[in-house]
């Protein structure tokens, strides 16, 4: 499966946004939102106020549902999000980025652009029947989302913290097994 650069960016940004609601919470302040925005390569309008931050917080459960739904439900949710935002896909080239799709104007509120950007990215996963690239973290105490774009589909944990914790637990289990 080959996903375009903007699809990969859209999925990564959405997963990071949803996971920011997990403990320890991130994206609690406008400054943390600045970091997310810069890290995820978003461009366009930024209000930099509490209202914008809260709109993104409110978007997290919406995106979580989209990214964890089965294919038919995800298709319904994508259609709903695009209709609600009155999305009109347009090819754009800007800031050194080659032709890619923007479906809402760059001056639309950030939460609406993130919703549409995510919906557009999920379209590619639905069409390629690759929604299995998204899962919930294999750590039993963690609800973080995992985006696995690796060739051998080896990613099971949302973060290195979760991966390490489980590696240590598995090691201890093996050790205590050896001792008995
Ligand atoms: Zn762009
Ligand atoms: Zn996790």
């Amino acid at each position: 499966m080959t996903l375009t650069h903007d699809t990969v960016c859209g999925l990564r940004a959405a997963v990071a946004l949803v996971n920011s609601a997990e403990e320890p919470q991130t994206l609690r302040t406008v400054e943390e939102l600045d970091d997310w925005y810069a890290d995820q390569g978003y461009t366009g309008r930024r209000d930099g106020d509490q209202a914008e931050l809260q709109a993104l917080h409110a978007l997290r459960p919406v995106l979580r549902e989209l990214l964890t739904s089965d294919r038919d439900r995800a298709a319904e949710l994508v259609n709903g999000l695009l209709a609600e935002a009155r999305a009109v896909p347009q090819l754009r080239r800007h800031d050194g980025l080659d032709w890619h799709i923007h479906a809402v104007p760059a001056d639309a509120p950030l939460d609406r652009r993130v919703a549409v950007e995510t919906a557009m990215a999920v379209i590619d996963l639905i069409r390629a029947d690759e929604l299995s690239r998204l899962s919930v973290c294999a750590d039993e105490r963690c609800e973080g989302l995992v985006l696995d774009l690796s060739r051998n589909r080896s990613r099971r944990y949302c973060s290195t913290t979760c991966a390490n914790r489980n590696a240590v637990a598995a090691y201890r289990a093996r050790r205590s097994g050896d001792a008995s």
Side-chain angles (χ1 to χ4, degrees), residues 8-30:
V8 171
C9 292
L11 292 171
R12 286 213 173 107
V15 165
L17 178 58
V18 170
N19 287 354
S20 73
E22 295 302 310
E23 296 300 333
Q25 281 206 26
T26 51
L27 217 72
R28 290 156 303 176
T29 62
V30 170

Side-chain angles (χ1 to χ4, degrees), residues 1 11-12 14-16 18-19 22 63-70 122 125 130-140 142-150 152-159 162:
M1 176 190 57
L11 292 171
R12 286 213 173 107
V15 165
V18 170
N19 287 354
E22 295 302 310
L63 295 188
R64 168 175 275 279
E65 190 191 2
L66 173 63
L67 298 174
T68 54
S69 288
D70 65 34
V122 170
L125 291 183
E130 290 277 1
L131 274 176
S132 59
R133 297 284 175 176
L134 290 162
S135 61
V136 175
C137 184
D139 183 290
E140 14 181 85
C142 179
E143 292 294 307
L145 298 186
V146 182
L147 174 64
D148 186 2
L149 298 176
S150 66
N152 57 357
R153 295 176 180 260
S154 52
R155 241 194 117 181
R156 296 171 60 222
Y157 299 102
C158 71
S159 64
C162 281

Side-chain angles (χ1 to χ4, degrees), residues 20-86:
S20 73
E22 295 302 310
E23 296 300 333
Q25 281 206 26
T26 51
L27 217 72
R28 290 156 303 176
T29 62
V30 170
E31 290 69 35
E32 285 181 329
L33 180 57
D34 291 342
D35 293 342
W36 174 86
Y37 181 90
D39 290 348
Q40 305 303 332
Y42 263 93
T43 56
R45 173 173 161 188
R46 272 305 308 284
D47 295 347
D49 59 11
Q50 282 298 319
E52 183 180 62
L53 180 64
Q54 275 158 19
L56 279 165
H57 286 172
L59 186 59
R60 292 189 297 205
V62 176
L63 295 188
R64 168 175 275 279
E65 190 191 2
L66 173 63
L67 298 174
T68 54
S69 288
D70 65 34
R71 198 160 174 242
D72 290 1
R73 177 71 182 140
E76 251 175 67
L77 293 169
V78 162
N79 288 341
L81 284 169
L82 294 180
E84 198 182 320
R86 295 192 193 82

Side-chain angles (χ1 to χ4, degrees), residues 77-119:
L77 293 169
V78 162
N79 288 341
L81 284 169
L82 294 180
E84 198 182 320
R86 295 192 193 82
V88 179
Q90 297 281 296
L91 283 164
R92 294 278 183 251
R93 191 153 59 180
H94 65 89
D95 295 305
L97 294 166
D98 198 10
W99 292 114
H100 59 283
I101 299 175
H102 280 205
V104 275
D107 62 353
L110 183 59
D111 65 305
R112 194 190 310 164
R113 285 187 290 120
V114 173
V116 167
E117 210 48 51
T118 309

